[in-house]
Amino acid sequence: MEREPRASEAAPEAAVLFAWGANSYGQLGLGHKEDVLLPQQLNDFCKPECVRRITGGGGHSAIVTDEGGLFVCGLNKDGQLGLGHTEDVLYFTTCRSLLGCPVQQVACGWDFTIILTENGQVLSCGSNSFGQLGVPHGPRRCVVPQAIELLKEKVVCIAAGLRHALAATASGIVFQWGTGLASSGRRLCPGQTLPLFLTAKEPSRVTGLENSKATCVLAGSDHSASLTDAGELYVWGSNKHGQLASLAAFLPLPQKIEAHCFQNEKVTSVWSGWTHLVAQTETGRVFTWGRADYGQLGRKLESREGWKLQSHDSSLPCSGPQKSMPSCLHCLTGAAEVSCGSEHNLAVIGGTCYSWGWNEHGMCGDGSEANIWAPKPVPSLQSSLGLLVGCGAGHSLALCQLPALPALGQHPKVTGPSPDAAESAKSQEAMDRNWKERQPETSTESLSDRSRDGGL
């Protein structure tokens, strides 16, 4: 999630960063490489109250501070941390090459990183095997952030997928680069000439969006999306799991998801996992759609057998109407924060941190490795006020305000929604009030891929 907390929400002396989940490369910043099933407090590396954005990629993590500083840790074999070397880093470390160049946003792909500076310039580092760094004649990897010179206009939002990246400019134009979507496009659109932006190794304008102004972009493992200033959501790429809300197997050009899919409301924020999407509308309603077999949609489908039945035929989208249509997840109404991992999610509702979805490495933070099929509070964070959340492919981070100690002789106050927001009317009313007080900025969270056989 890319939204800044209001000043009134944070108590500087009590803000703490927590990390949990997959940790094969030290991406949790805890100094070791063991998975963590319960949220662990991070040692101080910056003033937690100054944390502005949290995000992660396939095996690395990035944190941006209010001053524009960038801290990174985790997998670095392709130089994706931008530190000038290729050794994994087990603690959050400042990216010194960017000192004096304040960072606005970071998007972490599977094995690369895209960086947006406060002056609207875009830089990249990490693997360039698929042109995902936007430097067509550059080396196969880059260990220090380098400017993407072909993006000459000021950029306001960036996104990174498995092997492709995007940028939205101040004038609302969308650019894409990296060949990550090309192979599935050629396979699923035989005989068609794919648009240049699907095969380019340098920023190429996404055609089909000429009559709209993009405010943000996002990327999944094999799809892209753009949100406009009119609250319309456009999607393109692979639809294997119904993530494009279409019956087509592949959309080579952007296609708008019709407003009726969101109860005729404007979309204000959107996030993407590997193969699922989450959107929030102007009234705070939250919709999920796409792949569901790890619980990442926050609801159980009537039958999950369809995934297996159709997966053998790559020419067909694995998406019946139930999977391909956005559906409102009422327990998330009024969420102030949302973030998607590859197949798990975090949210802040009424000040409480919730998680759901894939949990093989403990990324849902409940102490187990069992998938979670409906949003539930992260147990050990229930007494803390959630401020910011961020996911990598298989790991989670959260900035929380610890509860104030009660005065002598007083009993501590219990605040926040009840554990089961979906069943508590009083809790839902609190969420609605919270939504009206805290309208989120348009935002996006891009995610990357993972290997079932490899670590995260």
Side-chain angles (χ1 to χ4, degrees), residues 279-354:
Q280 189 168 45
T281 64
E282 56 193 332
T283 63
R285 290 187 176 92
V286 175
F287 296 77
T288 64
W289 68 101
R291 191 173 184 179
D293 50 353
Y294 296 97
Q296 57 266 61
L297 299 189
R299 49 191 165 85
K300 281 193 176 182
L301 300 179
E302 290 179 10
S303 170
R304 296 197 304 278
E305 291 304 309
W307 300 105
K308 297 176 183 177
L309 291 173
Q310 291 183 308
S311 62
H312 300 296
D313 187 349
S314 62
S315 68
L316 293 172
C318 294
S319 56
Q322 189 181 33
K323 302 180 188 71
S324 63
M325 294 301 293
S327 181
C328 186
L329 197 58
H330 294 291
C331 63
L332 293 182
T333 297
E337 297 285 335
V338 178
S339 182
C340 297
S342 63
E343 289 159 345
H344 79 288
N345 313 267
L346 297 176
V348 176
I349 313 167
T352 298
C353 287
Y354 285 72

Side-chain angles (χ1 to χ4, degrees), residues 25-339:
Y25 309 104
Q27 59 261 53
L28 299 185
L30 295 170
H32 61 80
K33 293 187 175 184
E34 300 296 321
D35 288 359
V36 173
L37 305 186
L38 292 169
Q40 300 294 311
Q41 188 171 325
L42 283 162
N43 294 326
D44 291 340
F45 61 89
C46 67
K47 294 179 180 179
E49 70 273 11
C50 293
V51 171
R52 187 200 300 173
R53 304 179 190 273
I54 307 170
T55 191
H60 63 300
S61 304
I63 287 176
V64 180
T65 67
D66 283 338
E67 296 78 24
L70 175 61
F71 289 83
V72 292
C73 68
L75 181 61
N76 194 35
K77 74 179 183 68
D78 291 297
Q80 54 262 58
L81 301 186
L83 300 176
H85 61 79
T86 56
E87 299 296 318
D88 293 351
V89 176
L90 305 187
Y91 296 96
F92 276 101
T93 303
T94 187
C95 189
R96 296 195 174 276
S97 65
L98 294 174
L99 291 177
C101 184
V103 173
Q104 175 66 28
Q105 183 195 353
V106 175
C108 296
W110 177 244
D111 51 11
F112 67 103
T113 305
I114 306 294
I115 300 161
L116 174 62
T117 67
E118 288 187 354
N119 65 8
Q121 186 180 35
V122 181
L123 303 97
S124 61
C125 57
S127 172
N128 196 35
S129 297
F130 297 87
Q132 61 266 57
L133 298 189
V135 184
H137 305 295
R140 288 185 66 84
R141 70 182 185 189
C142 181
V143 299
V144 176
Q146 58 185 339
I148 300 180
E149 302 288 354
L150 291 172
L151 281 172
K152 300 184 184 300
E153 188 181 342
K154 181 180 180 180
V155 169
V156 296
C157 184
I158 54 174
L162 174 60
R163 294 165 178 159
H164 73 290
L166 300 105
T169 70
S171 64
I173 298 172
V174 175
F175 289 88
Q176 181 170 308
W177 61 95
T179 61
L181 278 60
S183 59
S184 58
R186 292 190 186 100
R187 186 178 72 254
L188 298 172
C189 302
Q192 291 187 40
T193 300
L194 295 179
L196 178 61
F197 65 83
L198 293 181
T199 60
K201 294 185 177 181
E202 59 191 47
S204 177
R205 182 170 179 170
V206 176
T207 50
L209 295 172
E210 291 77 12
N211 296 321
S212 63
K213 180 180 179 181
T215 55
C216 83
V217 285
L218 61 154
S221 63
D222 205 19
H223 67 265
S224 301
S226 172
L227 182 61
T228 74
D229 61 351
E232 297 174 333
L233 182 59
Y234 287 82
V235 291
W236 60 97
S238 172
N239 190 39
K240 183 177 181 181
H241 299 282
Q243 64 264 45
L244 304 188
S246 169
L247 294 178
F250 189 92
L251 292 175
L253 293 172
Q255 179 173 293
K256 183 174 73 173
I257 298 180
E258 295 301 329
H260 67 79
C261 294
F262 304 109
Q263 298 180 12
N264 291 312
E265 294 182 4
K266 292 181 179 179
V267 176
T268 55
S269 301
V270 62
W271 304 266
S272 181
W274 252 20
T275 46
H276 74 286
L277 285 95
V278 180
Q280 189 168 45
T281 64
E282 56 193 332
T283 63
R285 290 187 176 92
V286 175
F287 296 77
T288 64
W289 68 101
R291 191 173 184 179
D293 50 353
Y294 296 97
Q296 57 266 61
L297 299 189
R299 49 191 165 85
K300 281 193 176 182
L301 300 179
E302 290 179 10
S303 170
R304 296 197 304 278
E305 291 304 309
W307 300 105
K308 297 176 183 177
L309 291 173
Q310 291 183 308
S311 62
H312 300 296
D313 187 349
S314 62
S315 68
L316 293 172
C318 294
S319 56
Q322 189 181 33
K323 302 180 188 71
S324 63
M325 294 301 293
S327 181
C328 186
L329 197 58
H330 294 291
C331 63
L332 293 182
T333 297
E337 297 285 335
V338 178
S339 182

